Amino acid sequence: MRYVIIGGSIASVGAIEGIRKFDREGSITVISDEPDPYYSRPLISYYLAGKIDRAGLYYRKPEFYQRNRVQVITGKACNLAPDGVVTLESGEKIPYDKLLLAVGGTPLLYDRLAAGRDNVVGFYTLEDVERIRLQVMPGIRVAVIGAGLVGLKAAEALYYLNAKPTVVDLAPYPLSGILDPVGGEMVERHLRSKGVECKLGMEVSSLEGTPRVKEVVFTDGSHLDCDMVIIAAGVRPNLALAAGTGIDTGQGILVDEHQETSIPSVYAAGDVAQAQELLSGDKKVVPILPLAWEQGRIAGMNMAGHEAVYRGSLAVNSVSLLDMAIMTAGDSRAEGLCAVGDNPPYYRKIVLQDGGVTGLIAINHVDNMGIITGMIRKRVRIEGHESLLLQPRLNGVDVRSCLPTAITGL
Amino acid sequence: MTAVVRRVEAQDEYCMGCGLCRLACQVAHSAYPLSIVKAMKTGSRPVPRMSVESSADGMSFRSVRCLQCEDPECVKICISGAATRDEETGVVLIDEQKCVGCWSCVIACPEGAIIGPGTGRGKAYKCDLCLEREFPACVAACPNRALILREVEVVESTTREG
């Protein structure tokens, strides 16, 4: 069996592990356009901040490919023939029996804003961070466009490097994709208290200055002087390779519960894939690392002939931001029951639907929060005992004694 | 595929809440595993890898520890690759060197068995089953046999994946 995986990041790692669980013999070829595959993208901010070294970026040990007998080709796949051949830009043709598209995403806004500019950088790849490292110095003013998890972690790293980051976003508060206004404003106050500026509810109209951007101009006419711009406004799936092949796409590449696309023997996983979501049952692109690995692993097992079913994407996020612990799970932005406190700021929200927990926000006092995530996954009913979940220190004994269903013994 | 692996079984009805398991765990994971005094009084206190929770009324207790899941949520969610499951022993480990303290494992673990945010150390810790010892320190310390070491046969799951 010839397995070919396009992409070398986390979904690719999951697929290799999934394949090798059931097939020790087949050949695995990874085609990656990044020279350093399988580093963890969420760790690039830690690397930038100097909290880990380059070796610490890797999601698996250095001997990972060797141990799993993976052949790696550094190059870019430019054409996919559904009858079983991938063509590289170099002209090389690679035949496959089972193919995985783990081609990830492209940073939004980057192409439009970065063209021809030296000091506009994305925040998605190791190469991006190496470019930032060459330019960053104490006191440098950096506009970070995007106040999501990636943008805020970039701003945090810059803060630790004594640079002066300003976080810019169209949304009125940070982390608007996963937090509600109460949580978002708490994060904003925290950022400001540390000296990280925020320009929120502001739409970028243009970046002025060539070849070096000198200011960000907003649609209301105001502007922000800067020495560097980091674009961290999210990613969109890379659909170019799937285009014209007959593979069904929506926002991403549509996959079934086996991570298989509409073309048999062609699979997709990770930031490019649009797979079923756990709570809504709809197909959605949820570009976070754990789901990339999980989807890749499911794809790999199925590619190796072992049926495995994806349990559905549940958005679960945890980030420590300038020593503030922020966690969300499920439908975290919906209306729910809340508890708020000060010193340190504390926020907990649980979202309930039909008597079951479907969403969580926890800011500080985050110990034990996985118990609530487990309840979301298993759709545990909690009626009458909701207040237990809002206690700063979640008491597992009391919570469990109230539950009609055991959530232990996975 | 089946494998015989080590597990600690908690019989919470026998737990008196004395906390000796937790203390023994701290000492075992300190720089001075043979001396409780040195372990607790030298430098910063060692972090226990398990805990005993008490109900709000203080009358019932629960040993909270990693169940060494076969398909662990902490391993799936870990962004650094620090959390791994050893295929041979079935033990789930967090590599302290690799952990970046993002607490993803804390929001993923349905047992609440990961220790970290409250410690101020910036690292996640969990039970490693004291593999190098004849008995896990907590089991050896329990005066009422509420914690028992078992050798259990696990069928390496292939159908429940995902």
Side-chain angles (χ1 to χ4, degrees):
Chain A
M1 186 67 77
R2 296 164 302 177
Y3 303 98
V4 173
I5 302 170
I6 306 179
S9 195
I10 305 303
S12 179
V13 171
I16 292 163
E17 291 171 345
I19 291 167
R20 283 290 178 244
K21 196 171 164 79
F22 296 103
D23 183 351
R24 301 297 309 168
E25 304 305 319
S27 73
I28 301 180
T29 303
V30 168
I31 301 165
S32 170
D33 58 1
E34 285 193 79
D36 265 308
Y38 73 80
Y39 63 88
S40 164
R41 297 196 193 284
L43 292 190
I44 62 175
S45 73
Y46 295 85
Y47 175 55
L48 177 60
K51 292 195 161 185
I52 59 171
D53 59 14
R54 209 177 148 110
L57 280 165
Y58 293 93
Y59 185 68
R60 289 294 182 262
K61 295 197 172 95
E63 64 271 21
F64 176 73
Y65 281 151
Q66 200 189 355
R67 215 184 53 217
N68 287 292
R69 285 176 293 110
V70 175
Q71 191 207 348
V72 189
I73 297 174
T74 304
K76 198 167 167 59
C78 63
N79 189 271
L80 165 60
D83 61 349
V85 179
V86 176
T87 308
L88 306 188
E89 272 182 351
S90 64
E92 192 179 349
K93 290 188 186 305
I94 300 175
Y96 66 83
D97 298 308
K98 301 279 180 185
L99 176 71
L100 176 68
L101 300 172
V103 293
T106 300
L108 288 164
L109 295 181
Y110 181 76
D111 290 341
R112 179 162 78 81
L113 295 176
R117 266 78 177 253
D118 298 339
N119 61 340
V120 180
V121 191
F123 206 76
Y124 190 59
T125 64
L126 185 49
E127 192 193 342
D128 290 334
V129 167
E130 294 293 10
R131 277 183 68 195
I132 295 168
R133 278 161 59 96
L134 291 175
Q135 299 190 31
V136 77
M137 60 186 86
I140 189 173
R141 298 162 303 170
V142 186
V144 179
I145 299 181
L149 287 167
V150 177
L152 294 189
K153 285 303 277 185
E156 181 196 47
L158 294 165
Y159 168 87
Y160 287 133
L161 293 169
N162 295 315
K164 289 189 172 144
T166 300
V167 179
V168 174
D169 204 296
L170 184 57
Y173 56 86
L175 299 177
S176 62
I178 53 174
L179 291 181
D180 58 13
V182 176
E185 281 155 25
M186 199 172 264
V187 172
E188 184 183 348
R189 280 195 297 279
H190 179 63
L191 289 168
R192 288 188 191 281
S193 76
K194 298 278 183 176
V196 176
E197 288 304 317
C198 303
K199 278 195 170 289
L200 301 164
M202 306 278 277
E203 188 178 2
V204 175
S205 135
S206 65
L207 303 183
E208 295 300 322
T210 314
R212 295 187 68 79
V213 170
K214 292 195 166 60
E215 59 178 17
V216 179
V217 179
F218 298 98
T219 49
D220 68 355
S222 65
H223 59 93
L224 170 70
D225 293 336
C226 62
D227 306 304
M228 182 170 33
V229 178
I230 291 179
I231 312 257
V235 292
R236 69 179 150 72
N238 286 328
L239 297 179
L241 207 54
T245 58
I247 293 174
D248 286 344
T249 58
Q251 253 197 314
I253 296 176
L254 291 161
V255 293
D256 65 10
E257 71 276 24
H258 303 124
Q259 297 295 136
E260 196 166 14
T261 69
S262 57
I263 293 186
S265 296
V266 179
Y267 296 74
D271 290 5
V272 77
Q274 188 172 349
Q276 181 154 315
E277 199 192 26
L278 181 73
L279 295 174
S280 66
D282 300 335
K283 287 189 177 177
K284 274 193 183 170
V285 177
V286 187
I288 57 177
L289 180 145
L291 299 181
W293 184 79
E294 219 174 312
Q295 292 176 5
R297 186 167 154 88
I298 296 288
M301 289 191 287
N302 284 300
M303 289 161 78
H306 179 87
E307 190 189 356
V309 172
Y310 184 54
R311 61 179 171 170
S313 302
L314 179 68
V316 178
N317 291 287
S318 176
V319 68
S320 174
L321 185 68
L322 297 165
D323 297 323
M324 175 182 256
I326 304 162
M327 293 182 173
T328 65
D331 291 333
S332 49
R333 289 184 300 167
E335 292 282 309
L337 301 171
C338 303
V340 184
D342 286 315
N343 292 325
Y346 154 63
Y347 181 44
R348 180 86 48 80
K349 179 171 87 174
I350 53 165
V351 178
L352 298 157
Q353 205 185 334
D354 305 328
V357 189
T358 55
L360 166 71
I361 294 177
I363 297 181
N364 289 334
H365 293 298
V366 295
D367 283 297
N368 281 350
M369 283 302 110
I371 293 175
I372 300 180
T373 309
M375 294 168 75
I376 296 174
R377 273 192 207 289
K378 302 219 160 184
R379 297 166 198 257
V380 175
R381 302 179 76 84
I382 183 74
E383 289 129 312
H385 306 287
E386 295 86 349
S387 63
L388 286 176
L389 302 185
L390 299 175
Q391 300 295 322
R393 169 77 203 181
L394 187 73
N395 186 312
V397 183
D398 290 338
V399 170
R400 280 191 175 76
S401 69
C402 296
L403 294 179
T405 329
I407 62 166
T408 53
L410 282 168
Chain B
M1 276 187 295
T2 62
V4 175
V5 297
R6 188 174 187 172
R7 289 287 181 275
V8 173
E9 190 181 302
Q11 307 184 99
D12 291 328
E13 64 275 28
Y14 297 127
C15 178
M16 307 175 293
C18 67
L20 286 172
C21 50
R22 188 178 179 277
L23 182 59
C25 179
Q26 272 177 293
V27 175
H29 291 93
S30 75
Y32 302 96
L34 299 176
S35 164
I36 180 170
V37 174
K38 275 188 182 163
M40 299 303 281
K41 296 182 81 167
T42 311
S44 54
R45 288 214 163 153
V47 177
R49 314 301 162 104
M50 46 84 65
S51 64
V52 182
E53 278 189 343
S54 146
S55 58
D57 63 8
M59 296 305 280
S60 50
F61 305 95
R62 183 168 191 278
S63 167
V64 183
R65 65 178 60 250
C66 173
L67 299 180
Q68 318 292 349
C69 302
E70 276 171 61
D71 195 18
E73 296 290 349
C74 57
V75 172
K76 286 183 188 173
I77 204 168
C78 181
I79 64 166
S80 70
T84 54
R85 180 175 182 274
D86 186 286
E87 292 293 331
E88 232 166 82
T89 59
V91 178
V92 181
L93 298 167
I94 294 178
D95 179 347
E96 206 180 308
Q97 294 302 311
K98 267 191 95 61
C99 175
V100 294
C102 70
W103 311 136
S104 290
C105 50
V106 174
I107 195 182
C109 174
E111 275 299 301
I114 311 274
I115 293 164
T119 65
R121 307 284 169 92
K123 300 274 179 187
Y125 301 91
K126 66 178 292 302
C127 169
D128 57 10
L129 278 180
C130 291
L131 280 190
E132 73 291 356
R133 294 171 170 248
E134 190 184 355
F135 287 97
C138 57
V139 173
C142 181
N144 204 30
R145 286 183 51 81
L147 297 175
I148 292 175
L149 180 65
R150 295 236 189 262
E151 302 271 315
V152 292
E153 198 169 279
V154 233
V155 180
E156 280 292 327
S157 144
T158 51
T159 50
R160 273 185 12 207
E161 286 295 344

